[in-house]
Amino acid sequence: MNQKATALLKKWDPFQLGEDSYETETADVVAALQGINDPSTLAKVIQNVYEHSFEQWIPFEKCVAISYKLLAIKFEAKCII
């Protein structure tokens, strides 16, 4: 699950800086994903993590969209186990 979530976040590239520009943020979001099941809550975490690191704002709607994809990966992994 962590590998799929990491790959998705790398491809997301919200600031068009290149896929390898978000290692710390990706790790923070994947760690938060472990304990969050609500897309809005996860979206707020994503928005805060990226804004803190890059001092740029990401529209909440974009964060919600990626949070749904991350949660889908998480719940898919739970169903496989």
Side-chain angles (χ1 to χ4, degrees), residues 9-34:
L9 285 167
K10 281 185 172 188
K11 289 180 182 175
W12 185 43
D13 193 9
F15 302 120
Q16 287 74 47
L17 299 174
E19 292 184 9
D20 295 326
S21 300
Y22 307 98
E23 289 182 25
T24 302
E25 296 74 28
T26 298
D28 290 348
V29 172
V30 171
L33 177 61
Q34 306 301 320

Side-chain angles (χ1 to χ4, degrees), residues 35-76:
I36 298 174
N37 293 327
D38 176 63
S40 294
T41 303
L42 183 57
K44 288 176 189 172
V45 169
I46 293 167
Q47 191 177 46
N48 288 335
V49 165
Y50 282 81
E51 184 177 344
H52 182 264
S53 294
F54 294 95
E55 297 181 357
Q56 292 183 45
W57 181 78
I58 302 172
F60 188 68
E61 297 78 24
K62 290 186 178 184
C63 297
V64 169
I66 195 72
S67 73
Y68 272 105
K69 292 177 183 178
L70 289 167
L71 288 169
I73 290 170
K74 177 180 178 176
F75 291 130
E76 177 186 346

